[in-house]
Amino acid sequence: MPTLLADAAAGSGDPDLELLKAVNGLAADAPGWLDSLVAWTAEYGILLGLAAIGLVAWLGARRRPDAPVAVAGVLWAPLAVAVSELANLPISAIVDRPRPFVDHPELDVLVPGKEDTLSFVSDHSAMSMGIAVALFLVNRRLGVAAGALALLQGFCRLFVGVHYPTDVLGGYALATAVVLLLAPIAMAVLVPLCHALSRTALRPLVVAAPPAGSGRRRQGRAPEAPTRRQTRADRRGADRDSDLAA
């Protein structure tokens, strides 16, 4: 049964295939240790880095004045990834695109064991971009950092020879659409949930405790004791008031 994308990629001069071969060709000229490092990064390293950025985003969100809203935005990131992965199941089945090395055995495959899985869309690319876009809505700096890792993820998937460029772009597009289109619905649920959690024993997960001593600083200084000069002036004023009253 012909697939929707595999036949197009099989043709000579196809830019999708040519770009894949250009990037994957770098693996043939690279030392073995670098190939192993990129393979580990493509499978696990970037996702671990994105998890670390998400942790930093959560810690920062808890300290914001709008902590429940910010934490809800951070929580939307992994949930959006889960929704993207669910949405990819029917898409992969409909497109039914085999891995590029199945039709092109000349590719240098650095990640084994994917022969029986489908290529479109790239799960790793979708997960990476989903986290990046969701975090960008909460914290732009962290979102940009996560976006750089998502772009690196796409490059690594081509380097190890397990995806076409359009697989990566499809993953980016799917995750971005899920995050942005479903964000209003998700936040309508997550924000009240985080507000409710902030009033329970789970409050530390949503709102950070104020630093020690901040309560005393907010109360301001204690009134200073009156000086001797002020005391004598007050007494003279009181005497004049009593003379006038007499």
Side-chain angles (χ1 to χ4, degrees):
M1 177 180 177
T3 62
L4 297 178
L5 293 176
D7 292 340
S12 60
D14 179 75
D16 202 24
L17 179 59
E18 293 303 318
L19 180 56
L20 168 60
K21 288 184 175 181
V23 177
N24 180 249
L26 300 174
D29 300 328
W33 66 266
L34 181 58
D35 287 349
S36 299
L37 176 61
V38 175
W40 182 85
T41 301
E43 286 291 293
Y44 311 108
I46 290 178
L47 295 181
L48 291 176
L50 290 170
I53 292 177
L55 178 61
V56 173
W58 169 65
L59 293 175
R62 292 167 60 244
R63 293 175 171 82
R64 287 174 44 166
D66 60 340
V69 178
V71 171
V74 174
L75 182 59
W76 172 227
L79 294 178
V81 168
V83 174
S84 298
E85 293 303 300
L86 291 176
N88 187 31
L89 294 177
I91 294 175
S92 295
I94 293 172
V95 176
D96 193 25
R97 187 184 205 182
R99 295 284 182 172
F101 54 80
V102 173
D103 295 325
H104 307 282
E106 69 274 14
L107 292 172
D108 191 4
V109 183
L110 304 182
V111 180
K114 296 185 179 293
E115 295 81 3
D116 298 327
T117 59
L118 297 174
S119 188
F120 188 88
V121 299
S122 169
D123 286 333
H124 283 73
S125 300
M127 288 187 287
S128 301
M129 189 56 71
I131 293 174
V133 175
L135 292 183
F136 184 81
L137 299 178
V138 181
N139 186 310
R140 291 190 175 182
R141 289 185 178 180
L142 294 179
V144 169
L149 288 182
L151 295 177
L152 179 61
Q153 179 73 281
F155 174 84
C156 290
R157 303 311 286 176
L158 302 183
F159 188 95
V160 300
V162 297
H163 281 294
Y164 294 101
T166 48
D167 299 335
V168 173
L169 294 178
Y172 290 163
L174 174 62
T176 301
V178 167
V179 172
L180 297 181
L181 293 179
L182 299 183
I185 300 175
M187 295 300 286
V189 176
L190 294 175
V191 170
L193 174 62
C194 289
H195 276 293
L197 291 177
S198 67
R199 296 189 291 269
T200 68
L202 299 177
R203 176 181 173 84
L205 296 177
V206 180
V207 181
S214 61
R216 289 193 296 270
R217 286 195 298 269
R218 283 195 299 266
Q219 292 175 358
R221 294 182 177 181
E224 298 180 354
T227 62
R228 292 181 178 179
R229 182 177 299 176
Q230 291 173 336
T231 303
R232 289 195 297 268
D234 292 341
R235 287 176 179 174
R236 287 197 296 270
D239 293 339
R240 285 196 300 268
D241 292 340
S242 61
D243 292 339
L244 292 175

